[in-house]
Amino acid sequence: MTSSYDTIVVGAGIEGSATAMYLAIKGSRTLLLEQFELEHTRGSSHGGSRIIRYNYPESFYVEMMKKAYPLWSDIEKQAEVKLVEKCGGITFGHRDHVEIRNGIESLSRENIPYSVIESDEIQKRYPFLNLPDDFVVVAEPDSGYVYARKSLKAMQKIFVSNGGTILDMHKVVGITPGRIIRVKTLKGSFQCKSLIICAGPWTNTVLAYTELRLPITPHRVCISFYKQTHPVFDNIPIFIYRAQNDPVYYYFGMPDSEYPGLFKICAHDGVVSDPDDRDLDNQYSFLKYTSAFIASKLRGVSSKPSILETCMYSITPDYHPFLDRHPHFHNIVIEAGFSGHGFKLAPVVGSILSGLALHEEIDYDISHFKISRFKSNSKL
């Protein structure tokens, strides 16, 4: 087995796999390390589907999504598999909600097609909604969902076809920084010129070997599926509810792409959790909020879940990720803290991280994702 590489990527979730894929395409001899078996369900990239959308209150994400959509199409072509379903999407909430207003402004500024629907027209177009008169719906024709499991496999397939190496069951247990970085796993030792850490909720565990800790809090989130009780849910778009005066930041829902007749409806929040002791936490405490949302804002769906799954979020104080070089070792690059909204952005993230590792000019504004924006980052 080769032990020396140009680049090593730690973490074979969607961000790490996308990064490794672009590194291999660019000709870098790359090793992708995963601590568990491939396609495991303990992190943030498993399951059947994830939302894809342009609508963000922050224009810099809309700009990134304008580049992400074509990249998703390129991956589909290379892997010869359909990954994106554009079933349409809606975001709804009170007409004066700051994130509703900012989302509309971002879409307008970036010339993304959308429409704003109000009052009686909401009921005509979306009979599954049960909204107050002072709510609005922002509709996006190009929103939809990404097949998550298929996307992960597609990126890893492209990576390997371009000469990349994947090793699963290789938990990192040591990193020695330097001009040549040494990475030790439970099964072997490797060295590289550049290291990229995409370890999700295990980020600080891995970063501890470099004497760095970032303000990231792992959350265990309950992914819940509910039965349709009335056929008003035909041709449902993906949806996001921007809540006000609610314990939950927002809720999201998706068509029955994973389990026939069941709809994924979840609170975008969870309980603080150690990813290595996750089963000790009561992740179901948020179900009462999801049930209350369904009962008050939706029609034709049971408020009692039929299937429960889990996903790990890595939350930062401002809900924005880190995409940056290590503050002390510039040949170590870090991706972390997407706070549950990074899957759709993975092709762009992979392009950025591979560019940082290869010292390329980055065609994105990543100033919002700098480690230095928080003074609490510290050496251990």
Side-chain angles (χ1 to χ4, degrees), residues 100-373:
I100 293 290
R101 297 201 312 267
N102 289 348
I104 292 172
E105 291 175 5
S106 293
L107 294 172
S108 297
R109 189 179 301 116
E110 299 299 328
N111 298 311
I112 304 299
Y114 75 95
S115 58
V116 179
I117 302 141
E118 301 186 61
S119 191
D120 294 341
E121 187 64 24
I122 294 175
Q123 182 60 39
K124 293 177 184 177
R125 291 183 58 172
Y126 305 108
F128 64 90
L129 294 179
N130 179 33
L131 304 182
D133 291 339
D134 54 1
F135 272 40
V136 296
V137 169
V138 183
E140 270 187 271
D142 290 328
S143 289
Y145 56 90
V146 179
Y147 292 109
R149 188 181 302 106
K150 291 180 181 179
S151 297
L152 196 63
K153 293 177 68 174
M155 290 180 181
Q156 292 171 359
K157 174 184 176 182
I158 296 169
F159 171 60
V160 172
S161 71
N162 281 273
T165 300
I166 304 177
L167 295 178
D168 62 357
M169 304 303 291
H170 272 259
K171 181 179 180 178
V172 172
V173 294
I175 296 172
T176 305
R179 187 178 61 84
I180 299 298
I181 303 167
R182 288 171 173 77
V183 180
K184 184 179 180 180
T185 75
L186 288 174
K187 293 186 176 182
S189 295
F190 310 90
Q191 60 184 29
C192 58
K193 300 173 185 175
S194 296
L195 175 67
I196 304 178
I197 297 172
C198 302
W202 292 273
T203 293
N204 279 323
T205 301
V206 177
L207 285 178
Y209 299 116
T210 71
E211 299 186 332
L212 180 70
R213 183 174 184 84
L214 297 178
I216 296 171
T217 305
H219 283 210
R220 189 184 188 195
V221 176
C222 183
I223 306 301
S224 43
F225 298 82
Y226 299 81
K227 289 181 180 178
Q228 180 177 348
T229 60
H230 191 276
V232 296
F233 264 66
D234 292 340
N235 302 316
I236 182 178
I238 64 97
F239 63 80
I240 291 173
Y241 168 44
R242 298 287 186 184
Q244 283 183 314
N245 302 316
D246 192 291
V248 175
Y249 178 51
Y250 71 78
Y251 299 86
F252 66 90
M254 301 175 63
D256 56 346
S257 61
E258 298 185 35
Y259 300 106
L262 299 182
F263 300 95
K264 181 190 286 187
I265 305 172
C266 310
H268 190 75
D269 206 344
V271 296
V272 176
S273 179
D274 181 337
D276 290 319
D277 284 319
R278 51 188 283 171
D279 292 329
L280 301 179
D281 301 309
N282 180 20
Q283 57 156 333
Y284 304 119
S285 61
F286 277 79
L287 281 175
K288 60 185 177 184
Y289 303 128
T290 306
S291 294
F293 158 64
I294 292 171
S296 65
K297 299 296 188 298
L298 302 181
R299 293 189 178 97
V301 60
S302 172
S303 60
K304 180 180 179 181
S306 296
I307 295 177
L308 299 175
E309 298 177 348
T310 60
C311 183
M312 295 298 296
Y313 286 7
S314 301
I315 307 294
T316 63
D318 61 4
Y319 289 88
H320 302 316
F322 297 108
L323 303 175
D324 201 0
R325 290 189 175 90
H326 194 292
H328 311 299
F329 309 106
H330 286 189
N331 57 348
I332 298 178
V333 176
I334 301 166
E335 174 278 320
F338 259 106
S339 305
H341 65 96
F343 200 102
K344 69 183 81 63
L345 291 158
V348 172
V349 173
S351 177
I352 291 170
L353 297 178
S354 62
L356 287 173
L358 299 176
H359 302 283
E360 298 174 342
E361 184 176 346
I362 305 301
D363 189 27
Y364 300 91
D365 178 9
I366 58 174
S367 61
H368 308 281
F369 311 131
K370 292 290 186 181
I371 290 173
S372 60
R373 73 184 190 270

